Amino acid sequence: MAMKLMKGNHALAEAAVRAGCRFFGGYPITPQTEILEYLSARLPEVGGVFLQAESELGGINMVYGAAAAGCRAMTSSSGPGFSLLQEGISYIASAELPAVFVDVQRYGSGLGDIFQAQSDYFTATRCGGHGDYKLLVYAPASVQESVDLTMLAFDKADEYRNPALLLSDASIAQMMEPVELPEMRDVNFDRPWAMRGKHGGPNKRVSSTMYYIEDFDAYIKAKYDAMIAREQRWESVRVEDADVVLVAYGVSARICKEAVALARERGMRLGLLRPISLWPFPVKGFESVNPDVRGYLAVELSALPRLRDDVLLATGQRVPTESFLGGMHIPEPSAIIEKAAELIAE
Amino acid sequence: MAEKRTPALLVEDNRYCPGCGHGIINRILAEVLEEMGLADEAVVSLAVGCGGLMMYSFGTDWIQAPHGRAAAVATGIKRVRPETCVIAYQGDGDALAIGFSETMYAAIRNENITTIIVNNGIYGMTGGQMAPTTLPGQKTATSPAGRDAETTGLPLDVIAFMKERKVGYLARGALHSAKEINKVKKYIRAAVENQQSGGGYALVEILSPCPTNWHMTPEAAMKHIEAEVEPRYPLGEFVKNGVKVNA
Ligand SMILES: Cc1ncc(C[n+]2csc(CCOP(=O)(O)OP(=O)(O)O)c2C)c(N)n1
Ligand code: SF4
Ligand SMILES: [Mg+2]
């Protein structure tokens, strides 16, 4: 199949259409607005519905309704808008509906700014809204992965009847790369649970499933445990003999890959573990790391450590585990190498 | 005399307080859907509030919307399943305070759904706090000295906002007499018919008693609607078939 040069946001949006997404309700906010703009033209071409909502609250609740009606549905946002989505996300998760959300991360609390960041890690991976739920969270590190993980997110959301989140960032969203797009999928929305009038059967009730499932606590824990067991995804680069392993996702992982190559040229044994699923966190990926590894460095574009917590949990804090915090700036590979070297020198 | 049959859509006894208006409105809605042959096509977007208790007793497909968002949820359903008959069933606090934006924007888009707003002048479910519809001077759990219009504004008349827009159908009814209840049924029927003919947004607001939080007997609550509430909220049809009428 022919490769096509595409921008991250556009490729992600086209992938959603090819995954069978036929409803999008959302609100403009940089740096995700191109998803909205793209789908405003594209969805009507395939018989889908695009709605510009009055707010992110409106958008996410339209997605809730569309998803409950059986449709593959999506919304996307960033920063302050991602905060507003959380109420609806909690409802969608509690009703065990499949839906896909996108957070193209931008920097800062409050209004923040429009450039890239990775500060929404906790909101994304812990449970951004109220109650007990988890999202399947995928972190693309390239335009191609924005496509592939979008397809995967829709499939996994259906498989587990649990919403999935694509955690992108401004730089992955804005970069142009050649991509291979998958074929258009044909998805049957007349699923047995879909609300479309009861038509002689029992009435369908869409609400928190806690009202209907016996021993709900155990049930819901088992559901998420199954995802933890089966859905960990990662890429590892030369971790088997590494003295220091970098852990990074998304745009940071791209810089870290360069850092590993550069360090190896210099004779330093650096490796990279790149989580592709942020939840479930790829704890299993650490099994192939050099047993004599001397330290971990979590590299992320935030002012405060986030990813580092998960590295500590995954490794049991056996060796020094530090953060390289890019903050507002995409770091130079050499700066990462320097910090990694300090870790071994200590 | 016609036989008083309980609609099959009312699958269980309702869980409202004695004398609550929600029970009457649920029954009317069930009757209308059955009479129109829509019991199998209907999907109700249920608000958070006492109306949410419908989940136990109302036999159509339904979805529990977050507080205030029933119109947005209804929009999502209707847009992907235009063949269903979508009803947003909401309280006045839900639709007109926390959800005012979602409610108004469904009307502004002329969304082809039917909204029912139960105006009981109060937040019933949470124990009788002040609502956007609370009357000036009315004592509630959060306006113990009576609603002060100077600092909290005047009661909100949503139909006054909506009738200037392009919408399909707007009416306001009340439950204080058999005659008015019959009119409410006529309005709900017209609002559902409006949706079935693709007429756009339809709203029926209903002045309804909350004896529990008004601290009144059911009879006194009905009298209160007639004497105190109705003068604030004119009854009748305001828009029909997309055209303003003089109520
Ligand atoms: C986000 C959120 N805020 C507050 C509540 C608590 N709450 C539940 S029902 C309700 C008020 C309902 O009042 P109304 O819509 O007038 O319905 P009624 O019970 O009077 O019929 C409130 C504030 C909630 N469930 N969710
Ligand atoms: S509290 Fe009021 S609105 Fe709620 S069920 Fe009781 S009477 Fe009805
Ligand atoms: Mg109320």
Side-chain angles (χ1 to χ4, degrees):
Chain A
M1 205 193 216
M3 301 285 274
K4 203 175 161 190
L5 196 63
M6 282 183 101
K7 206 177 206 186
N9 272 340
H10 291 158
L12 187 153
E14 178 60 28
V17 170
R18 293 181 186 225
C21 175
R22 290 296 176 270
F23 184 88
F24 182 97
Y27 192 82
I29 184 167
T30 311
Q32 65 80 43
T33 305
E34 288 139 339
I35 296 177
L36 193 84
E37 290 172 348
Y38 186 92
L39 291 174
S40 71
R42 185 71 173 110
L43 274 173
E45 284 176 8
V46 293
V49 179
F50 168 88
L51 263 183
Q52 182 167 328
E54 64 276 16
S55 71
E56 289 82 354
L57 290 173
I60 188 74
N61 283 290
M62 291 170 186
V63 167
Y64 178 32
C71 183
R72 279 194 164 182
M74 181 170 101
T75 191
S76 64
S77 195
S78 181
F82 188 50
S83 292
L84 284 185
L85 296 184
Q86 301 306 323
E87 176 198 55
I89 290 176
S90 174
Y91 273 82
I92 294 170
S94 85
E96 295 193 63
L97 290 173
V100 173
F101 321 123
V102 185
D103 175 22
V104 181
Q105 294 178 90
R106 57 189 246 170
Y107 186 86
S109 322
L111 181 57
D113 211 328
I114 60 171
F115 53 85
Q116 76 290 320
Q118 297 183 311
S119 313
D120 294 346
Y121 185 83
F122 285 154
T123 319
T125 60
R126 266 45 185 174
C127 179
H130 58 287
D132 285 298
Y133 70 88
K134 289 284 190 178
L135 300 176
L136 289 156
V137 184
Y138 299 109
S142 66
V143 178
Q144 183 64 56
E145 228 177 20
S146 299
V147 170
D148 299 343
L149 292 177
T150 299
M151 303 295 286
L152 183 78
F154 276 102
D155 287 345
K156 291 294 170 187
D158 272 1
E159 184 181 333
Y160 289 97
R161 285 194 57 185
N162 195 76
L165 172 71
L166 292 153
L167 193 66
S168 183
D169 65 72
S171 59
I172 299 290
Q174 303 300 328
M175 69 175 58
M176 303 271 290
E177 282 184 336
V179 285
E180 193 179 319
L181 291 164
E183 292 296 319
M184 189 75 84
R185 296 262 192 84
D186 199 13
V187 180
N188 181 6
F189 293 154
D190 289 345
R191 316 162 202 244
W193 47 262
M195 280 199 316
R196 51 196 177 101
K198 58 184 179 162
H199 296 287
N203 66 320
K204 285 163 243 88
R205 304 168 296 185
V206 178
S207 188
S208 292
T209 59
M210 61 176 270
Y211 301 132
Y212 310 113
I213 293 172
E214 253 179 76
D215 198 3
F216 178 79
D217 294 329
Y219 159 82
I220 204 71
K221 178 150 190 317
K223 169 172 166 167
Y224 288 118
D225 283 348
M227 294 185 211
I228 292 171
R230 296 203 291 261
E231 299 304 332
Q232 298 181 24
R233 287 183 155 72
W234 69 90
E235 179 194 358
S236 45
V237 182
R238 309 197 69 174
V239 295
E240 291 79 4
D241 67 343
D243 290 323
V244 176
V245 170
L246 308 175
V247 183
Y249 69 94
V251 63
S252 295
R254 295 172 72 104
I255 316 300
C256 287
K257 251 186 205 175
E258 290 176 35
V260 170
L262 191 62
R264 292 276 170 174
E265 273 172 31
R266 297 181 187 170
M268 178 183 172
R269 287 187 303 209
L270 199 59
L272 166 67
L273 197 146
R274 177 172 78 90
I276 296 171
S277 63
L278 299 182
W279 198 89
F281 191 73
V283 176
K284 291 179 192 172
F286 290 81
E287 287 167 10
S288 49
V289 171
N290 176 9
D292 298 321
V293 67
R294 292 166 62 193
Y296 287 98
L297 190 61
V299 181
E300 52 187 329
L301 295 185
S302 54
L304 300 174
R306 275 128 168 69
L307 182 63
R308 177 168 167 268
D309 282 20
D310 277 336
V311 179
L312 286 169
L313 287 169
T315 59
Q317 312 191 28
R318 279 189 305 274
V319 292
T321 301
E322 295 288 330
S323 285
F324 185 105
L325 298 171
M328 296 190 190
H329 309 286
I330 296 184
E332 289 298 324
S334 55
I336 296 170
I337 295 172
E338 236 169 78
K339 174 98 183 178
E342 281 172 27
L343 204 65
I344 324 180
E346 270 165 17
Chain B
M1 275 266 291
E3 176 198 355
K4 260 286 176 197
R5 188 184 63 85
T6 303
L9 277 180
L10 299 180
V11 292
E12 267 186 40
D13 290 343
N14 73 54
R15 301 197 182 187
Y16 306 116
C17 307
C20 176
H22 278 295
I24 303 171
I25 300 165
N26 286 187
R27 185 185 174 106
I28 293 173
L29 180 61
E31 286 174 359
V32 166
L33 292 174
E34 287 182 11
E35 287 162 17
M36 293 179 66
L38 293 171
D40 273 3
E41 326 294 328
V43 177
V44 181
S45 175
L46 268 182
V48 174
C50 287
L53 296 171
M54 265 173 99
M55 67 169 68
Y56 302 106
S57 54
F58 211 75
T60 60
D61 279 8
W62 55 259
I63 177 168
Q64 174 67 70
H67 191 26
R69 325 286 178 226
V73 172
T75 297
I77 301 163
K78 186 69 183 181
R79 290 288 183 128
V80 302
R81 299 247 180 226
E83 71 284 4
T84 56
C85 174
V86 180
I87 315 284
Y89 187 98
Q90 305 179 254
D92 43 2
D94 184 273
L96 306 180
I98 190 168
F100 192 58
S101 173
E102 288 78 6
T103 302
M104 283 305 293
Y105 269 90
I108 290 166
R109 290 189 305 268
N110 203 15
E111 205 66 56
N112 195 33
I113 60 170
T114 302
T115 296
I116 293 174
I117 298 178
V118 179
N119 176 347
N120 56 13
I122 210 136
Y123 285 62
M125 173 62 89
T126 42
Q129 298 78 22
M130 190 177 76
T133 45
T134 298
L135 303 178
Q138 186 181 340
K139 288 186 177 158
T140 72
T142 50
S143 58
R147 179 175 188 172
D148 178 1
E150 286 298 315
T151 55
T152 67
L154 287 166
L156 195 153
D157 178 344
V158 67
I159 289 178
F161 281 90
M162 285 185 182
K163 71 182 178 194
E164 303 309 323
R165 314 217 53 100
K166 183 180 163 15
V167 292
Y169 182 83
L170 297 177
R172 184 184 289 118
L175 299 179
H176 59 269
S177 69
K179 188 169 142 237
E180 294 303 329
I181 290 174
N182 283 337
K183 283 192 204 159
V184 167
K185 181 163 179 185
K186 189 183 110 189
Y187 299 156
I188 291 183
R189 190 180 175 102
V192 174
E193 278 168 355
N194 178 80
Q195 180 179 166
Q196 294 309 104
S197 63
Y201 185 80
L203 167 75
V204 183
E205 180 186 349
I206 301 156
L207 308 183
S208 175
C210 172
T212 303
N213 289 305
W214 291 0
H215 309 292
M216 291 179 190
T217 62
E219 298 71 34
M222 289 301 192
K223 288 210 179 86
H224 176 78
I225 293 180
E226 186 172 14
E228 307 291 337
V229 188
E230 199 205 302
R232 272 274 166 188
Y233 294 101
L235 305 181
E237 292 175 302
F238 298 86
V239 173
K240 260 170 106 169
N241 300 318
V243 182
K244 259 211 266 191
V245 289
N246 293 320

